[in-house]
Amino acid sequence: MAQLWLPAAATAALAVAVAVVSVTEGGLLAAANNAGVASADHQYVADSGTSGGGLGPIPAGCWGGRGNPRRNYCCRITEQCGQKCQQKRRQVPCSVRQYVFPGGPGGCTRTERFTECKPKMCQRTRCNYGPGSNPPQGTPPPAPTPRPTSAPTPRPTSAPTPRPTRAPTPRPTPVPTSPPPAEYRWGDGWRQCTAANFRTRQNIRSLSANQKQRLAAAFNALISRGLYTQFTRIHRDFGAAAHGGVQFLPWHRLFVLELEQALRSIDPSVVLPFWDFTSDWNDPVMSPVFNTDILGGGVAGGCIPNGPYANLQAQLPTPHCVTRGFNSGPNGMGSFTFDQPGTINALIDASGSFADFANAWELAHGAPHVAIGGALLQSNWGDMFLVAQSPNDPAFFIGVHSNTDRVWWLRQRASGNPTQYDGQHQGRTVSPNDALTAFGSRLVSDTFNLPCVGYDPARTGVVRSGRRVSRAVASRRAPRARAAAAALLDRWAAATGISNSQRERAQQALDSAAVEADLRSELNVEG
């Protein structure tokens, strides 16, 4: 086969042009395979045997070309002619400025907008001929057929044109999207608690299917982003400020408010419901709150078996699946019962001090902690039983503490003195001007009337027995009616760190409330 000696520069130019030629629907022709580019000063082009004195073939997709070496040719090429950009979102680590919990930023992710751009390719004709030369002669090859796109491509006319003009593709009109909710920062619950953001927390029994789904979706989003763990950490680290005295109620009011705002930063329609657990006092395990559309069930000592939080994983104190201490189904909590509605109603209506009410209610609110976290266990408690871990289970907020705050809210209205606050906390005398640690500059008095939250004021109804009893009879049988629940609560309170003296005063206040309920014929009791 004859070979033609060409200058390196001419051959390299030819190779570059051919390398970008679009010759088929499949894409670009790689001319380097045909050019045989070498590193020497001169290169060779194989003679294909065509006429022209051994000058080599005209490259596919090109036309014209004459002289020795061959020059004055044109090629149809595909090259970048701009960019196509679109807005997207991605998850990135939170920075201290964007998400701050007391004690440090913690680990979390946040949603960030960014612009992604890709090259835009166009077909064009490029020619290469020397100064003073005429444009190359000949007829250009037919334009390659473009790939089909989602936009309809006009059918070509029967008469081909030498250089068909490609119809411009209309740029798609961006679909307007609502801005993403603002990233949550610790303290947003208080900062955004205004009358304009007022919402009413409902009894969990009145939630629609859609409300239950949105509540679970917001919780799971908070969990998947790593933010939910921070609430457990705060509850653990500030446990002394949150438990063991009358500060229990204002501290947890703000704690629940912060969690609710974190959920609403994901879905503004979400409002925490409350579970009035006294409505299920006699057989708690059969409550609808343990259905698979709310909290899911339990396996004593095992992971959550079903529902929105099945096999939920927690990070504190060490990575583990969240466990519960009861079995789903009849007798799944043994003989455990809650205080009756009449007892809690009498506690709300009692004319005693705030300290008596707060101490008794801190103890009584522990009933669902015991039921969910340890009804059938003697050790290796489920998460809900332990102060340092209890928020790991969403039941902490959904099943317990929204209702804990509601009962105080009812007490404030029943007493006619919403600012009543007195007693002891962790051995010291309290004041409305006490700071609530973990909440910055917030004071106890700031919690007396939240402008953004209210509750369904209805109380759980009671069936009046119609039988009148003397105080002596009620004082004997009412404490007996709650003896089993009292024993379990006492065990939980000891594990929580509540002092012996506070436990004794709390049990006495609850016994007194049960006596009043019996006198009002609102206690289910025999004997």
Side-chain angles (χ1 to χ4, degrees):
M1 180 177 65
Q3 292 182 324
L4 180 65
W5 177 86
L6 296 179
T11 307
L14 177 62
V16 170
V18 175
V20 292
V21 173
S22 177
V23 294
T24 66
E25 290 187 11
L28 304 178
L29 177 67
N33 293 332
N34 298 326
V37 178
S39 60
D41 291 338
H42 301 89
Q43 300 170 354
Y44 293 89
V45 175
D47 181 1
S48 64
T50 59
S51 61
L55 297 179
I58 296 174
C62 301
W63 67 96
R66 57 189 173 79
N68 187 359
R70 189 182 299 280
R71 59 172 70 93
N72 295 3
Y73 55 86
C74 290
C75 297
R76 183 172 288 112
I77 67 171
T78 300
E79 66 179 4
Q80 183 174 342
C81 57
Q83 291 182 323
K84 293 181 179 179
C85 299
Q86 62 181 134
Q87 291 287 321
K88 291 189 174 183
R89 297 177 184 176
R90 61 189 172 196
Q91 296 295 312
V92 298
C94 296
S95 69
V96 175
R97 290 177 58 84
Q98 293 152 336
Y99 188 80
V100 179
F101 277 107
C108 71
T109 59
R110 63 181 179 84
T111 302
E112 176 185 78
R113 286 187 171 186
F114 71 100
T115 302
E116 180 180 82
C117 296
K118 296 182 179 180
K120 179 181 178 182
M121 307 304 291
C122 299
Q123 284 190 347
R124 293 178 179 173
T125 298
R126 294 289 189 196
C127 295
N128 182 5
Y129 49 91
S133 301
N134 294 322
Q137 303 299 314
T139 303
T145 304
R147 288 178 177 270
T149 64
S150 56
T153 304
R155 301 182 64 181
T157 58
S158 56
T161 56
R163 295 183 182 180
T165 303
R166 187 175 182 179
T169 303
R171 300 182 67 180
T173 303
V175 178
T177 58
S178 57
E183 295 290 340
Y184 169 77
R185 295 182 63 191
W186 180 256
D188 281 352
W190 172 261
R191 284 186 287 270
Q192 299 187 33
C193 186
T194 64
N197 288 327
F198 183 83
R199 60 267 190 186
T200 299
R201 293 174 181 163
Q202 299 175 261
N203 191 313
I204 204 164
R205 283 176 159 81
S206 67
L207 293 188
S208 67
N210 180 259
Q211 287 174 311
K212 295 174 186 176
Q213 291 169 0
R214 297 179 80 106
L215 177 67
F219 259 102
N220 280 313
L222 202 65
I223 292 165
S224 66
R225 295 179 187 182
L227 274 61
Y228 190 70
T229 298
Q230 302 304 324
F231 287 89
T232 302
R233 183 178 65 80
I234 290 170
H235 192 259
R236 178 199 66 189
D237 293 350
F238 296 91
H243 304 89
V246 297
Q247 195 169 282
F248 165 78
L249 290 172
W251 195 97
H252 281 86
R253 174 166 284 181
L254 290 188
F255 191 53
V256 170
L257 183 67
E258 290 301 323
L259 183 279
E260 184 177 58
Q261 185 57 43
L263 296 175
R264 288 167 64 81
S265 73
I266 295 168
D267 184 346
S269 74
V270 168
V271 180
L272 270 177
F274 64 86
W275 174 37
D276 182 359
F277 58 82
T278 65
S279 59
D280 299 302
W281 70 273
N282 196 39
D283 195 7
V285 76
M286 301 309 294
S287 170
V289 78
F290 299 116
N291 290 349
T292 56
D293 59 350
I294 303 179
L295 289 179
V299 175
C303 305
I304 301 174
N306 50 34
Y309 313 107
N311 297 310
L312 175 62
Q313 301 297 306
Q315 301 304 312
L316 296 176
T318 57
H320 67 284
C321 74
V322 174
T323 61
R324 291 175 174 170
F326 70 95
N327 293 324
S328 299
N331 301 314
M333 291 181 180
S335 59
F336 185 78
T337 61
F338 296 153
D339 275 304
Q340 296 182 34
T343 299
I344 301 305
N345 286 339
L347 181 68
I348 292 170
D349 295 333
S351 59
S353 68
F354 177 81
D356 288 342
F357 164 76
N359 289 330
W361 184 225
E362 182 177 6
L363 182 65
H365 104 283
H369 277 283
V370 176
I372 298 172
L376 299 181
L377 302 176
Q378 299 298 319
S379 61
N380 298 321
W381 311 106
D383 288 75
M384 273 289 283
F385 193 90
L386 304 167
V387 169
Q389 297 175 218
S390 51
N392 282 338
D393 193 329
F396 177 95
F397 293 100
I398 300 172
V400 180
H401 277 278
S402 52
N403 186 61
T404 301
D405 186 62
R406 164 186 162 270
V407 169
W408 181 26
W409 183 87
L410 292 171
R411 160 79 181 195
Q412 289 178 297
R413 280 143 188 80
S415 69
N417 183 11
T419 64
Q420 183 187 31
Y421 186 73
D422 55 63
Q424 300 279 314
H425 188 86
Q426 296 286 339
R428 62 174 179 80
T429 302
V430 300
S431 163
N433 295 321
D434 289 340
L436 293 172
T437 57
F439 299 100
S441 60
R442 300 279 66 79
L443 306 178
V444 168
S445 58
D446 291 329
T447 70
F448 290 156
N449 183 26
L450 297 183
C452 61
V453 174
Y455 288 91
D456 178 351
R459 302 192 198 181
T460 298
V462 294
V463 178
R464 296 181 181 273
S465 66
R467 296 177 298 171
R468 305 291 294 182
V469 298
S470 67
R471 181 170 292 275
V473 171
S475 297
R476 183 182 65 252
R477 70 178 192 171
R480 188 172 65 240
R482 59 176 305 273
L488 286 172
L489 286 177
D490 209 49
R491 185 176 65 179
W492 169 81
T496 303
I498 297 176
S499 68
N500 290 336
S501 60
Q502 183 184 342
R503 298 204 307 269
E504 290 173 2
R505 292 194 303 271
Q507 294 285 20
Q508 290 170 2
L510 288 170
D511 285 347
S512 296
V515 169
E516 293 301 318
D518 197 10
L519 291 173
R520 289 159 35 171
S521 302
E522 294 180 357
L523 196 70
N524 189 324
V525 60
E526 298 179 357

